[in-house]
């Protein structure tokens, strides 16, 4: 029938290896959704039965094969060879002789997989390093830890690795607490011994039996959600095993300190502080890069150009789960109807309800002093100026620097809520965490003013160059940040004094202020703070700006590029 396409045998080989790389089965729901086809259509595709041209192309593009002609029957075979070779290099052919171990029956599915090649390469290199017994993958909820390890196992399953057995143990339960220890170790023994196990009631004996198997076989043990074993509610205890999980702590100690030929992988929302650092490597998992994040968003068939998708990705710093939740909202909500641009204009916050639940789960584990610190430092804009220990200490005068550094900050870092950017020499908060901290702070308006006032005092204390050497915006950046925080604290005199001090020294600041007032229709602080002139002149400027931006007025001519950005005084 005219207008129908079917896959060639070579094309199906390519498609099969690409979908295996994604962790999809041949009739994956996510594939049908991304390609806008039914399961029956996808089955006909795999049966090499002709389907509509549009559906054929969409099926290929859903797995990032833009050159769908390589897959279709009738295309010259030599054209498919480079693509087939690339696919084979990435995922070997599906041969039973290449499989060293069966996939665990409870292996979590991998949906909407996007490129994490760098992370997978690091993991593969680490588990083949004889000096490392265990690897701990840590990161925020929803960052992709479980999916990454599941995808790693799927790839190892097709490669010539040393492992002869893989066991997946989830430590998550409906109650949020870890399952009983006996259930987990009995499951490990049953799986690794192929059911040949004798009942033992003694924890030590069970551990000995497990270690014996690990010495005899090359095994890979995965403990998913190990954070359920850790203490909550105390900064000093962050990362340490709970009192009711001592048997788990004993098991992990034996697994790491006893010689055997197996490897252990942990996923956790928090660092596992009690694991021996000489035998364990911790890998912090961050968000997707921009290209991968945009690819993920495209799975949801949203309406938006590359710039809008990039902006959405940047807002959430590539957080996979958050992007999927917000993409589903944009696609399914009648208010947006898939329009990314409309969503970006409508929302100036990140924590939609479903994303907020994710962040709340880990915030609930914080002590009161950790929450206090997190909320206060959320006022700092680290994209504008590096966040130093001194800046954090300014916000926490009630505790000693030792207590702040060795307990509170260390706890926030172990809980993956605060991290240090070595390149910028700055502490940072993930945007989702920073917004949550801001909401905690705003529960009491008085605390907001206090935090901004403390930030003002910090920035105003930073030594500057002599005024005679002020040449550009970087020379007075601390003053700009001080002005912002004084304004947010509604300390009008302090904010005006900063502008006056700058204006006395730099003639060109007056021109900047005029440009700033003229081209900012909505100001977050009173306009009178932005000039050292009399209030009558300032009000006249405001009226002129309002008239220039009236609906019937023509757009103003583009101003000369100022030395200050229009956002520098925010």
């Amino acid at each position: 029938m005219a207008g129908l396409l079917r896959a060639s045998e070579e094309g199906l080989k390519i498609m099969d290896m690409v979908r295996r790389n994604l962790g999809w089965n041949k009739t994956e729901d996510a594939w049908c959704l991304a390609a806008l086809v039914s399961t029956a259509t996808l089955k006909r595709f795999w049966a090499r039965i002709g389907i509509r041209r549009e559906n054929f192309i969409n099926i290929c593009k859903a797995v990032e094969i833009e050159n769908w002609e390589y897959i279709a029957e009738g295309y010259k075979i030599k054209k498919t060879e480079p693509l087939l070779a690339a696919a084979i290099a990435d995922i070997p052919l599906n041969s039973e002789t290449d499989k060293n171990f069966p996939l665990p029956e409870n292996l979590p599915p991998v949906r909407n997989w996007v490129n994490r090649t760098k992370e997978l390469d690091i993991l593969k290199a680490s588990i083949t390093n004889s000096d490392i017994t265990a690897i701990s993958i840590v990161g925020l909820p929803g960052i992709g830890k479980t999916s990454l390890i599941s995808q790693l196992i799927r790839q190892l399953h097709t490669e010539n690795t040393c492992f002869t057995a893989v066991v997946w143990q989830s430590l998550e339960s409906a109650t949020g607490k870890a399952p009983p220890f006996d259930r987990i170790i009995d499951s490990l023994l049953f799986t690794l011994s192929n059911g040949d196990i004798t009942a033992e009631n003694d924890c030590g004996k069970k551990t000995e039996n497990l270690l014996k198997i690990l010495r005899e076989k090359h095994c890979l043990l995965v403990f998913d959600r190990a954070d359920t074993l850790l203490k909550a509610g105390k900064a000093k205890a962050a990362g340490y095993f709970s009192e009711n999980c001592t048997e788990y702590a004993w098991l992990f100690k034996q697994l790491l300190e006893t010689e055997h030929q197996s490897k252990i992988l942990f996923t956790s929302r928090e660092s596992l502080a009690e694991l021996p650092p000489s035998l364990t490597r911790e890998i912090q998992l961050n968000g997707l890069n921009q290209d991968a994040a945009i690819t993920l968003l495209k799975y949801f068939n949203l309406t938006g150009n590359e710039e809008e998708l990039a902006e959405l990705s940047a807002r959430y710093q590539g957080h996979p789960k958050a992007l999927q939740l917000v993409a589903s909202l944009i696609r399914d909500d009648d208010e947006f109807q898939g329009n990314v641009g409309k969503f970006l204009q409508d929302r100036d916050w990140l924590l939609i309800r479903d994303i907020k639940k994710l962040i709340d789960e880990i915030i609930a584990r914080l002590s009161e002093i950790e929450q206090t610190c997190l909320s206060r430092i959320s006022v700092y804009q680290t994209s504008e100026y590096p966040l130093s220990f001194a800046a954090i200490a300014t916000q926490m005068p009630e505790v000693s620097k030792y207590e702040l550094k060795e307990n509170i900050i260390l706890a926030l870092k172990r809980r993956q809520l605060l991290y240090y950017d070595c390149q910028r020499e700055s502490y940072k908060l993930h945007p989702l965490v920073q917004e949550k901290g801001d909401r905690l702070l705003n529960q009491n308006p008085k605390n907001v003013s206090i935090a901004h006032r403390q930030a003002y005092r910090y920035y105003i204390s930073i030594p500057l160059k002599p005024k005679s050497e002020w040449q550009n915006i970087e020379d007075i950046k601390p003053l700009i940040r001080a002005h912002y925080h004084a304004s947010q604290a509604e300390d009008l005199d302090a904010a005006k004094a900063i502008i006056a001090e700058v204006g006395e020294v730099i003639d060109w600041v007056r021109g900047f202020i005029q440009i700033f007032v003229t081209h900012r229709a909505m100001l977050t602080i009173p306009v009178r703070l932005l000039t050292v002139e009399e209030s009558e002149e300032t009000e006249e400027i405001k009226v002129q700006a309002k008239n220039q931006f009236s609906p019937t007025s023509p757009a103003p001519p583009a101003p000369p590029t100022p030395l200050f950005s229009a956002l520098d005084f925010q």
Side-chain angles (χ1 to χ4, degrees):
M1 186 181 295
L4 299 184
L5 292 176
R6 73 171 188 168
S8 66
E9 291 183 2
E10 293 78 14
L12 279 189
K13 290 179 182 178
I14 296 171
M15 294 294 285
D16 190 49
M17 282 176 281
V18 170
R19 65 95 186 166
R20 285 164 53 207
N21 190 31
L22 294 170
W24 286 0
N25 59 46
K26 291 186 176 181
T27 56
E28 184 76 29
D29 289 341
W31 200 345
C32 295
L33 183 64
L36 298 176
V37 298
S38 66
T39 302
T41 299
L42 205 50
K43 286 181 178 178
R44 288 197 298 273
F45 173 88
W46 285 107
R48 298 188 61 223
I49 299 172
I51 60 175
R52 290 175 52 196
R53 177 188 179 90
E54 179 184 359
N55 290 339
F56 187 96
I57 294 173
N58 287 341
I59 287 172
C60 295
K61 289 187 174 182
V63 291
E64 299 181 55
I65 294 182
E66 296 294 330
N67 297 320
W68 56 268
E69 299 94 337
Y70 292 166
I71 309 302
E73 187 174 58
Y75 202 69
K76 292 182 180 180
I77 188 169
K78 65 180 182 180
K79 295 275 187 165
T80 70
E81 289 174 356
L83 186 58
L84 181 57
I88 292 174
D90 191 27
I91 296 292
L93 287 175
N94 186 9
S95 169
E96 291 298 325
T97 59
D98 290 337
K99 297 179 181 178
N100 298 300
F101 57 85
L103 289 176
E105 292 183 359
N106 61 339
L107 185 66
V110 177
R111 304 189 186 280
N112 297 330
W113 176 257
V114 291
N115 187 14
R116 289 267 202 182
T117 304
K118 180 180 178 181
E119 292 89 341
L120 288 171
D121 289 344
I122 290 173
L123 280 172
K124 288 179 183 179
S126 298
I127 61 177
T128 57
N129 184 341
S130 59
D131 296 331
I132 299 295
T133 303
I135 302 172
S136 178
I137 311 297
V138 298
L140 287 173
I143 204 69
K145 303 178 292 294
T146 299
S147 294
L148 178 65
I149 301 302
S150 181
Q151 181 67 12
L152 171 70
I153 291 172
R154 294 172 193 278
Q155 289 198 10
L156 293 175
H157 175 63
T158 64
E159 298 174 359
N160 293 319
T161 66
C162 62
F163 299 112
T164 58
V166 173
V167 181
W168 185 285
Q169 290 295 334
S170 175
L171 301 179
E172 186 178 20
S173 68
T175 63
K177 299 179 180 178
F181 173 77
D182 285 340
R183 183 195 306 172
I184 295 299
I185 195 166
D186 287 348
S187 175
L188 286 169
L189 289 170
F190 183 84
T191 303
L192 293 175
S193 66
N194 297 318
D196 182 18
I197 182 176
T198 56
E200 294 282 356
N201 293 323
D202 180 68
C203 169
K205 187 62 176 177
K206 290 179 179 180
T207 303
E208 288 178 15
N209 290 339
L210 178 59
L211 290 171
K212 180 180 178 181
I213 295 173
L214 298 184
R215 282 190 289 264
E216 295 172 351
K217 296 182 180 181
H218 286 279
C219 303
L220 180 62
L221 308 185
V222 180
F223 296 96
D224 189 32
R225 285 298 309 274
D227 51 280
T228 62
L229 307 173
L230 305 179
K231 293 179 180 179
K234 292 183 179 180
K236 291 182 180 180
Y240 289 91
F241 292 111
S242 177
E243 288 82 358
N244 59 355
C245 293
T246 54
E247 291 176 319
Y248 279 106
W250 166 257
L251 172 64
F252 295 156
K253 184 176 187 294
Q254 297 305 306
L255 289 178
L256 268 61
E257 294 183 353
T258 303
E259 187 175 352
H260 54 76
Q261 52 186 341
S262 299
K263 302 291 183 180
I264 298 96
L265 296 177
F266 298 95
T267 74
S268 178
R269 296 177 176 183
E270 301 181 16
S271 296
L272 304 175
E274 293 188 62
L275 299 184
S278 60
L279 302 172
T280 309
R281 180 178 180 185
E282 180 177 285
I283 298 177
Q284 185 181 58
L285 189 60
N286 299 313
L288 303 170
N289 61 39
Q290 180 174 294
D291 290 341
I294 289 176
T295 299
L296 176 62
L297 291 170
K298 287 181 177 178
Y299 284 150
F300 292 84
N301 293 305
L302 305 177
T303 303
N305 56 39
E306 292 289 319
E307 290 74 18
E308 291 170 335
L309 294 176
E311 181 181 346
L312 185 60
S313 164
R315 283 192 184 187
Y316 289 92
Q317 213 168 87
H319 189 288
K321 186 67 173 179
L323 288 176
Q324 291 180 76
L325 289 171
V326 77
S328 297
L329 173 67
I330 297 171
R331 181 195 62 199
D332 300 335
D333 196 307
D334 291 340
E335 184 178 352
F336 305 112
Q337 298 182 8
N339 192 312
V340 177
K342 182 170 175 48
F343 176 85
L344 292 173
Q345 294 174 1
D346 180 75
R347 301 293 174 98
D348 61 355
W349 63 89
L350 302 176
L351 294 176
I352 64 174
R353 185 167 299 179
D354 289 336
I355 299 176
K356 179 178 176 294
K357 290 179 183 177
L358 275 180
I359 303 303
D360 284 347
E361 288 177 10
I362 199 163
I363 295 295
R365 296 177 56 83
L366 270 60
S367 63
E368 184 177 348
I369 194 68
E370 288 173 85
Q371 291 196 30
T372 298
C373 181
L374 181 68
S375 64
R376 290 179 184 175
I377 64 177
S378 69
V379 301
Y380 291 112
Q381 297 176 324
T382 56
S383 61
E384 297 296 327
Y385 200 89
L387 176 59
S388 66
F389 173 72
I392 299 177
T394 302
Q395 294 289 350
M396 301 294 292
E398 66 268 40
V399 299
S400 68
K401 290 185 178 180
Y402 179 88
E403 170 74 12
L404 179 61
K405 186 79 169 182
E406 296 299 328
N407 289 325
I408 301 172
I409 290 179
L410 181 58
L412 291 174
K413 290 172 70 176
R414 283 179 174 171
R415 301 192 200 278
Q416 310 307 307
L417 297 174
L418 181 70
Y419 65 98
Y420 191 78
D421 185 337
C422 297
Q423 292 185 338
R424 294 200 72 227
E425 297 184 345
S426 171
Y427 289 97
K428 284 188 175 182
L429 298 170
H430 189 281
L432 298 177
V433 176
Q434 182 153 10
E435 185 170 306
K436 180 61 183 180
D438 179 69
R439 293 190 182 189
L440 290 173
L441 187 67
N442 276 273
Q443 290 176 356
N444 186 338
K446 182 180 178 181
N447 291 339
V448 178
S449 296
I450 292 174
H452 280 290
R453 198 167 289 117
Q454 296 284 53
Y456 160 78
R457 291 182 182 130
Y458 164 69
Y459 284 116
I460 208 70
S461 69
I462 296 177
L464 302 176
K465 290 181 180 180
K467 293 182 180 180
S468 59
E469 298 179 16
W470 290 359
Q471 296 294 326
N472 54 49
I473 195 70
E474 294 301 320
D475 295 334
I476 59 170
K477 203 68 175 283
L479 287 181
I480 294 173
R481 303 318 306 155
H483 177 273
Y484 165 76
H485 289 290
S487 303
Q488 295 298 310
E490 298 185 355
D491 190 340
L492 308 186
D493 292 338
K496 187 173 181 178
I498 293 172
I499 296 297
E501 181 178 0
V502 175
E504 289 174 1
V505 179
I506 305 178
D507 292 336
W508 41 260
V509 76
R510 193 178 305 278
F512 161 75
I513 292 170
Q514 176 105 11
I515 293 170
F516 179 79
V517 174
T518 303
H519 292 280
R520 292 291 290 178
M522 297 295 293
L523 298 178
T524 59
I525 56 176
V527 175
R528 67 175 179 276
L529 299 179
L530 297 176
T531 179
V532 294
E533 296 297 330
E534 296 298 326
S535 60
E536 291 83 358
E537 180 180 346
T538 303
E539 291 301 321
E540 181 180 350
I541 293 173
K542 286 174 62 181
V543 171
Q544 292 174 358
K546 181 178 180 182
N547 291 338
Q548 288 179 0
F549 279 87
S550 64
T552 56
S553 301
T561 303
L563 291 173
F564 280 160
S565 162
L567 298 178
D568 282 328
F569 276 83
Q570 288 194 25

